[in-house]
Amino acid sequence: MSNLLVTGGAGFIGANFVHYWMKTYPQDKVVVLDALTYAGNRANLNQVSGNQNFYFCHGNICDTPLVETLLKEYRIDTLVHFAAESHVDRSISGPDTFIETNIIGTYSLLKAAKKTWLDEGLNREKHRFHHVSTDEVYGTLGPEDPPFSETTPYAPNSPYSASKAASDHLVRAYHHTYGLQVTTSNCSNNYGPYHFPEKLIPLVITNILQNKPLPIYGDGQQIRDWLYVEDHARGIDLVIKKGQLGGCYNISGINEWTNINIVKLICGIMNREFTENVVLADKYPLASFAIAGKAQELVTFVKDRAGHDRRYAIDPQKSSSELGYQSLESFETGIRKTLQWYLENDSWWISVMDRNYHNWISVY
């Protein structure tokens, strides 16, 4: 039995990880620490909130004494660190928060873990600090370049990716300098339920349902490697249970798509959904383009993002060979599950959008 502290557990990937873990290991205790900033939402955890092994703490990872208290009070042996500012556009317009949360926040957690686990001896012999990172720390790829591997040099191109790269290096340093038992995973773009609607896939889905433009940066030929969020959670599980201490593992869906083709795919699926399910027209009367089978006509090209990386792709061979990892969802099955979730959970995304109206960024 394990006692987990999950930072950022009310966010998109963190909440899906909590759902996965509590379903897979119902005997474990899970404590979520979340500051509930614009992308954190207690509603993401409603389905586990009544579980006697689940605990929620509203707090900031930069509050080192609070983290120390949680580690001791709940006798935490595994810390899974998701908490991060992650929206590239926001990092360009306001990098300060990214430096504070992603660098200083990670440092705060490492200090608390070292003091509690190593200096004071709680779980000194067996503990785990797992740090969740991103493929963006590796920079950008050309059309013919091989995918990123764990040995690819870091070359971050945005304040967001630079702050994540710095946090990765801090985690590595705390292992090699102090002996903290750490692992790191770098993932490709996630998608699935509870995805905050300013990101590409949920933005396209919710904008179609509201008859809003579908903004495409530049020519739309930027390539991303997409990973269904529950496959990511399974990959993290394997890294925690089987990963080499101090090791880094790439987790990927081996699933590259251009942004414009993602949008066209979703438009096509949405058109078919409205054709085959007449109830949807009554539920979403604003979606006149989808009702008419013309959702793709909402596509609108906008000025490209500053410093926009052209292509990301991850090679998960190390995770596959060492840990036995492979994604279970194809993109076809995963995107249909995702779209269906948004169609059935309009109260969730409407509430999220209303709550964040004044902070809203409508381009992914």
Side-chain angles (χ1 to χ4, degrees):
M1 187 176 78
S2 293
N3 298 331
L4 277 71
L5 176 61
V6 181
T7 70
F12 161 49
I13 303 177
N16 276 283
F17 175 82
V18 170
H19 296 155
Y20 164 84
W21 196 276
M22 297 196 74
K23 178 177 63 178
T24 308
Y25 305 104
Q27 74 281 6
D28 286 359
K29 183 183 298 179
V30 175
V31 180
V32 166
L33 172 62
D34 200 294
L36 295 180
T37 55
Y38 79 97
N41 189 348
R42 282 294 300 270
N44 295 355
L45 297 166
N46 281 348
Q47 72 182 67
V48 297
S49 60
N51 191 305
Q52 64 179 0
N53 285 332
F54 173 77
Y55 306 86
F56 181 85
C57 177
H58 182 194
N60 196 303
I61 59 173
C62 294
D63 186 346
T64 310
L66 172 62
V67 177
E68 291 174 9
T69 297
L70 293 175
L71 292 174
K72 294 171 186 175
E73 179 178 351
Y74 293 100
R75 302 195 66 80
I76 300 297
D77 54 66
T78 304
L79 192 158
V80 189
H81 178 31
F82 291 96
E85 294 288 340
S86 65
H87 194 278
V88 175
D89 284 351
R90 291 180 185 271
S91 81
I92 294 169
S93 61
D96 289 7
T97 304
F98 288 73
I99 303 306
E100 179 72 18
T101 299
N102 298 354
I103 301 178
I104 305 302
T106 301
Y107 175 54
S108 168
L109 294 172
L110 290 164
K111 281 197 300 181
K114 174 183 176 292
K115 180 179 178 182
T116 304
W117 287 339
L118 300 182
D119 299 345
E120 298 179 0
L122 179 67
N123 297 316
R124 178 185 286 117
E125 299 303 318
K126 186 173 175 57
H127 59 265
R128 181 63 59 95
F129 186 112
H130 181 75
H131 175 60
V132 180
S133 190
T134 172
D135 55 2
E136 297 194 39
V137 298
Y138 297 123
T140 188
L141 292 169
E144 305 303 322
D145 290 338
F148 301 128
S149 74
E150 290 81 358
T151 60
T152 300
Y154 276 26
N157 291 318
S158 70
Y160 160 60
S161 56
S163 67
K164 288 297 291 184
S167 67
D168 293 4
H169 292 320
L170 281 171
V171 172
R172 173 185 169 87
Y174 263 69
H175 172 68
H176 287 279
T177 302
Y178 302 112
L180 198 67
Q181 296 175 15
V182 309
T183 45
T184 297
S185 57
N186 297 75
C187 67
S188 52
N189 280 32
N190 280 219
Y191 68 99
Y194 303 105
H195 202 175
F196 193 78
E198 69 182 356
K199 297 300 181 76
L200 177 60
I201 289 176
L203 176 71
V204 171
I205 294 170
T206 56
N207 276 16
I208 289 173
L209 297 176
Q210 300 170 94
N211 246 35
K212 293 181 178 180
L214 307 180
I216 306 296
Y217 276 131
D219 60 6
Q221 295 301 315
Q222 301 87 359
I223 296 172
R224 299 295 181 261
D225 185 349
W226 291 93
L227 173 67
Y228 190 64
V229 66
E230 188 167 319
D231 280 332
H232 185 194
R234 289 190 310 98
I236 292 171
D237 182 5
L238 288 169
V239 175
I240 292 171
K241 295 291 178 63
K242 299 181 179 181
Q244 186 176 41
L245 293 179
C248 298
Y249 294 86
N250 286 344
I251 302 175
S252 162
I254 318 179
N255 179 43
E256 294 184 50
W257 284 74
T258 62
N259 286 346
I260 187 62
N261 284 341
I262 287 273
V263 174
K264 289 178 179 179
L265 174 70
I266 295 172
C267 288
I269 297 174
M270 191 72 85
N271 289 339
R272 288 194 295 274
E273 287 290 330
F274 273 82
T275 299
E276 296 169 2
N277 186 353
V278 294
V279 175
L280 287 178
D282 293 329
K283 185 174 183 180
Y284 297 105
L286 294 179
S288 61
F289 279 81
I291 292 169
K294 299 179 180 180
Q296 65 278 5
E297 294 185 11
L298 291 168
V299 169
T300 303
F301 289 90
V302 300
K303 183 181 179 181
D304 205 357
R305 167 194 290 158
H308 201 173
D309 290 335
R310 197 64 174 172
R311 173 175 169 245
Y312 304 140
I314 277 187
D315 180 359
Q317 177 58 37
K318 180 180 177 182
S319 295
S320 176
S321 60
E322 288 190 18
L323 311 177
Y325 169 79
Q326 66 177 54
S327 56
L328 296 182
E329 294 290 344
S330 69
F331 194 56
E332 181 178 355
T333 62
I335 203 69
R336 286 186 176 276
K337 284 184 176 181
T338 301
L339 190 147
Q340 197 61 41
W341 188 89
Y342 279 88
L343 288 174
E344 294 174 357
N345 290 274
D346 53 306
S347 61
W348 179 87
W349 57 262
I350 290 172
S351 173
V352 167
M353 295 171 76
D354 287 345
R355 184 166 61 94
N356 292 281
Y357 176 77
H358 296 292
N359 293 317
W360 196 250
I361 291 181
S362 60
V363 179
Y364 53 92

